[in-house]
Amino acid sequence: MGLKQPFEDQGLRWPKLYRGRLIKRYKRFLADVTLDSGEIVTAHCSNSGRMTGCNQPGRPVYLSFHDNPKRKLKYTWELIEMPTSMVGVNTLVPNRLVAKAVGGGLVPELAGYETVASEVRVNKSSRLDLKLSGNGLPDAYVEIKNCTLVEEGCARFPDAPTLRGQKHLKELARLKADGARAVIFFLVQRTDAERFRPADDIDPAYGRLLREVAKKGVEPIAYDVEISTQAIRLRRILPCVF
């Protein structure tokens, strides 16, 4: 990508992180962790997927701390250290990271637009993550998906059946048919993938629909990241294998 700015300027810097060991993840949104200090805490897990391959008890994990009186849980699970890669598990990160990268001109496939708007309503019941507009170009709608499942060098999505994900694909296809540009953006929050493909064994309906809308002009884009305990940024585009 030819990025020349300092690492943190290209991406997102983590808040102060606290290292520990994962005890267990449960009820989807909770994770018990033994901090290096010896304290056992319950952290919020901002990830509704199965997190297959990145939720092994005993693995090193990194939590952020938020001293907000309105929060029941002060810690948020951000990273897990797997044998072949650090993995970002917070599903709130991809939207912020991709929006910043696109706005900074760091995604060549989505360059040339004047404005980047987030959380854009496309009908009474649906929003998509980004709308790019300006410079005489057709509006571009981008839905961003967090991908943490990697097997034998292949990043795969989803890691659990997703009716919501199918709904987003249908909205993108509708917008494309109406004359807009439509993009489904898979952000692989780890460094050990060489390609991307839909997880047909997990959600065959999603895989079929993704192929169908791609034939209608919805553009699949997949990127991996460079990630450390200091910051995360986009690294390179991955081939999408259908």
Side-chain angles (χ1 to χ4, degrees):
M1 295 173 59
L3 302 180
K4 298 180 181 180
Q5 299 158 285
F7 185 104
E8 296 83 358
D9 291 345
Q10 298 169 38
L12 302 175
R13 175 178 283 278
W14 301 113
K16 181 180 178 180
L17 296 179
Y18 296 81
R19 188 179 184 276
R21 296 271 176 178
L22 180 65
I23 299 173
K24 63 177 179 178
R25 182 235 185 171
Y26 56 103
K27 295 182 180 179
R28 292 199 301 173
F29 300 111
L30 301 175
D32 288 344
V33 173
T34 302
L35 298 178
D36 284 358
S37 65
E39 180 184 6
I40 296 177
V41 300
T42 299
H44 175 62
C45 176
S46 178
N47 193 317
S48 60
R50 290 176 181 167
M51 294 175 58
T52 303
C54 55
N55 63 358
Q56 297 174 358
R59 301 299 309 175
V61 295
Y62 297 85
L63 313 179
S64 57
F65 180 80
H66 308 271
D67 192 14
N68 185 334
K70 295 182 179 180
R71 285 187 55 143
K72 181 178 180 181
L73 299 174
K74 302 297 185 182
Y75 289 93
T76 296
W77 183 7
E78 304 286 356
L79 304 170
I80 184 168
E81 190 175 322
M82 298 303 297
T84 56
S85 176
M86 190 76 76
V87 182
V89 300
N90 188 337
T91 57
L92 300 180
V93 169
N95 285 19
R96 295 169 51 214
L97 178 59
V98 174
K100 181 176 181 180
V102 171
L106 301 177
V107 183
E109 298 77 15
L110 297 174
Y113 297 91
E114 290 179 313
T115 62
V116 179
S118 299
E119 289 294 318
V120 178
R121 185 175 295 280
V122 294
N123 63 35
K124 292 182 179 180
S125 60
S126 293
R127 296 176 183 268
L128 293 177
D129 292 321
L130 300 179
K131 179 183 177 181
L132 316 181
S133 57
N135 283 336
L137 299 172
D139 290 343
Y141 292 87
V142 183
E143 178 63 19
I144 303 162
K145 297 301 181 186
N146 181 58
C147 181
T148 58
L149 175 60
V150 172
E151 295 176 337
E152 297 181 351
C154 184
R156 305 200 301 142
F157 181 90
D159 69 352
T162 172
L163 291 175
R164 185 168 180 267
Q166 293 178 43
K167 179 180 178 181
H168 289 148
L169 291 179
K170 293 174 183 177
E171 290 293 346
L172 288 169
R174 178 184 64 81
L175 291 163
K176 175 62 180 178
D178 289 343
R181 187 180 177 194
V183 176
I184 181 73
F185 194 112
F186 299 99
L187 183 72
V188 184
Q189 273 204 85
R190 50 194 299 169
T191 62
D192 53 354
E194 297 297 330
R195 60 197 179 281
F196 170 86
R197 68 185 304 168
D200 295 298
D201 56 322
I202 296 173
D203 191 343
Y206 186 89
R208 286 194 298 270
L209 185 58
L210 178 58
R211 292 177 177 88
E212 178 183 320
V213 301
K215 290 178 180 179
K216 295 178 179 179
V218 175
E219 304 168 48
I221 296 176
Y223 266 77
D224 72 352
V225 297
E226 188 171 349
I227 188 170
S228 71
T229 55
Q230 284 75 48
I232 180 173
R233 70 171 181 182
L234 297 192
R235 183 169 68 152
R236 57 179 179 167
I237 193 167
L238 301 177
C240 293
V241 181
F242 287 176

